[in-house]
Every structure is written in C-alpha cells, then in structure tokens.
Amino acid sequence: MVAKSVAKVGQLINSKIKSWTKPGVSSRLAEAATDLLRPRVELIAENAFLRQQLTVLNRQIDKPAFTSFDRFFLVLLAGWVRHWKINRSCAG
C-alpha cells in the first residue's frame, strides 16, 4: 500500500518535471515576430545566457560542469529574460 503510494507520487513528480521542461510549441515565424516586440535589453540578456551555456559546453573536458560563477551568472541572466524556459533551438 505504501509502496504504491510512493510509486504514484514518483510518477506525478516525474510527469510535472517533464511538463515544466518541455519546450514550447511555436513556429519560427511567430518567434521572430515576438522577438521584434521584445526589448533590446532582454534580447541581449538572452544572447548572453545562451553564450554562457555554450561556453560551458565547449570546455575541453569529457564532462563539462557548471562552476559556481556559471550558476550565479545564469541565474542572474535568467532573471532578466522573461521567456528563459522556452527552447529556441535551431534543430528540427
């Protein structure tokens, strides 16, 4: 009984995390149109946010990890970018 309850809670948490991290669905044309309406400061902050992620990814080690500075910088930038959870990838 307790094991089933724990399993259900685990599934609920897992589904919530998946829904929170799922990329937004929109067209590239709509994204470009909304970018025209966004403040320049926000676009610059988002660009810096993405560049910092690339900096971490391009480190010449097997498993790149965020340093304390990386975490601080990303949290600071995320506060300036309203739509930071939306995935704006070039793939697909």
Side-chain angles (χ1 to χ4, degrees), residues 42-54:
E42 186 177 328
L43 292 172
I44 291 171
E46 181 177 7
N47 190 295
F49 186 80
L50 296 171
R51 284 178 184 264
Q52 182 65 24
Q53 291 178 17
L54 288 174

Side-chain angles (χ1 to χ4, degrees), residues 4-43:
K4 286 183 181 181
S5 297
V6 170
K8 284 186 179 184
V9 169
Q11 289 174 347
L12 178 65
I13 291 171
N14 190 21
S15 68
K16 289 291 183 185
I17 290 173
K18 284 183 181 179
S19 70
W20 291 335
T21 57
K22 185 176 180 179
V25 179
S26 64
S27 71
R28 294 188 199 269
L29 183 60
E31 288 178 5
T34 57
D35 283 348
L36 291 173
L37 301 173
R38 290 171 59 198
R40 179 178 163 88
V41 173
E42 186 177 328
L43 292 172

